[in-house]
Amino acid sequence: MAQKLTNPKKYNRRIRIQSKQVITDNEGISKSVWADWMTLWAARKPLTSRWRETFQADGLNVDKMLQLEIRFRTGITADMRIIHGKKMLDGQETDRIYDIKAVLDDIHGDGTETWIMVMEREDG
């Protein structure tokens, strides 16, 4: 089955998906760090009322949540995070960090899109 194409103009936001990795320094001490896993284009959408109700029922602050739509991609999990844009925090510009709350692979069932529901972190 041939994959349908989506309108590339809708993906107008550059995002970075990061995953946690364990690194070992020169002294043999291991620590977890966030590392870029993939950079890609996304569409940024507000949550629909259906998703707002679902996440409110889970006790989440839906005002800090949004939906990112990307071309179909597997391998994205809820233990990753997304970097998108900048904000001011304590007088300094810092990355906007979003925790992944849900990943909906192949949302239309035709191999075109993955939706990622994210919530912005308060602390950066």
Side-chain angles (χ1 to χ4, degrees), residues 11-16 39-43 82-85:
Y11 304 111
N12 59 2
R13 309 288 180 131
R14 200 71 167 154
I15 65 170
R16 289 181 313 177
T39 300
L40 43 80
W41 292 98
I82 292 181
I83 307 296
H84 170 57

Side-chain angles (χ1 to χ4, degrees), residues 68-120:
L68 296 170
E69 298 174 4
I70 61 172
R71 288 188 179 96
F72 176 69
R73 179 107 34 215
T74 59
I76 301 169
T77 61
D79 61 347
M80 296 175 165
R81 70 181 190 178
I82 292 181
I83 307 296
H84 170 57
K86 301 279 186 185
K87 69 179 180 180
M88 294 301 290
L89 185 65
D90 297 328
Q92 293 187 344
E93 187 176 67
T94 185
D95 288 329
R96 285 187 183 271
I97 300 172
Y98 295 88
D99 292 317
I100 297 175
K101 296 300 178 185
V103 179
L104 305 168
D105 284 327
D106 197 14
I107 191 74
H108 304 295
D110 58 3
T112 58
E113 277 192 321
T114 295
W115 290 2
I116 308 168
M117 307 305 180
V118 298
M119 185 163 66
E120 184 175 358

Side-chain angles (χ1 to χ4, degrees), residues 15-82:
I15 65 170
R16 289 181 313 177
I17 301 175
Q18 294 185 326
S19 64
K20 268 212 170 158
Q21 297 182 0
V22 177
I23 61 167
T24 306
D25 65 16
N26 293 338
E27 297 174 3
I29 299 171
S30 297
K31 65 178 181 177
S32 291
V33 297
W34 288 103
D36 287 353
W37 180 72
M38 182 175 292
T39 300
L40 43 80
W41 292 98
R44 180 181 168 143
K45 306 280 178 138
L47 290 183
T48 62
S49 58
R50 174 182 156 218
W51 289 112
R52 290 179 72 82
E53 291 170 6
T54 300
F55 288 120
Q56 275 178 328
D58 287 341
L60 297 174
N61 179 0
V62 294
D63 293 332
K64 290 282 188 177
M65 294 189 73
L66 59 102
Q67 174 179 311
L68 296 170
E69 298 174 4
I70 61 172
R71 288 188 179 96
F72 176 69
R73 179 107 34 215
T74 59
I76 301 169
T77 61
D79 61 347
M80 296 175 165
R81 70 181 190 178
I82 292 181

